[in-house]
Amino acid sequence: VKSQLEEKENKKFPVFKALEFKSQLVAGKNYFIKVQVDEDDFMHIRVFESLPHENKPVALTSYQTNKGRHDELTYF
């Protein structure tokens, strides 16, 4: 989903490292992921994975910017 986020933010991220995640079971799965995008810059992203029989790629559905390393990862 890195390319999807870069397209929405209209910039390239030198780092894209998942540090923590939570999941939520829906008609598929939502993943809430804390991502390091630069040395001291973090984002929280929500990614949706559809059910296997739907055969769809994972999709970035929402994100939050200006997060810090110690900001709690919450459902959004």
Side-chain angles (χ1 to χ4, degrees), residues 21-49:
F21 82 95
K22 295 180 179 182
S23 63
Q24 176 186 39
L25 190 59
V26 290
K29 260 191 190 169
N30 281 321
Y31 291 96
F32 300 87
I33 308 167
K34 181 185 295 185
V35 178
Q36 182 176 4
V37 293
D38 208 341
E39 189 174 323
D40 292 317
D41 194 12
F42 299 82
M43 299 177 95
H44 292 179
I45 64 173
R46 185 172 70 204
V47 175
F48 178 72
E49 179 182 42

Side-chain angles (χ1 to χ4, degrees), residues 4-27:
Q4 293 175 43
L5 185 60
E6 287 176 335
E7 185 177 318
K8 289 181 183 288
E9 282 290 293
N10 197 28
K11 66 181 178 182
K12 298 285 183 189
F13 298 112
V15 177
F16 199 78
K17 181 179 177 183
L19 301 175
E20 176 184 347
F21 82 95
K22 295 180 179 182
S23 63
Q24 176 186 39
L25 190 59
V26 290

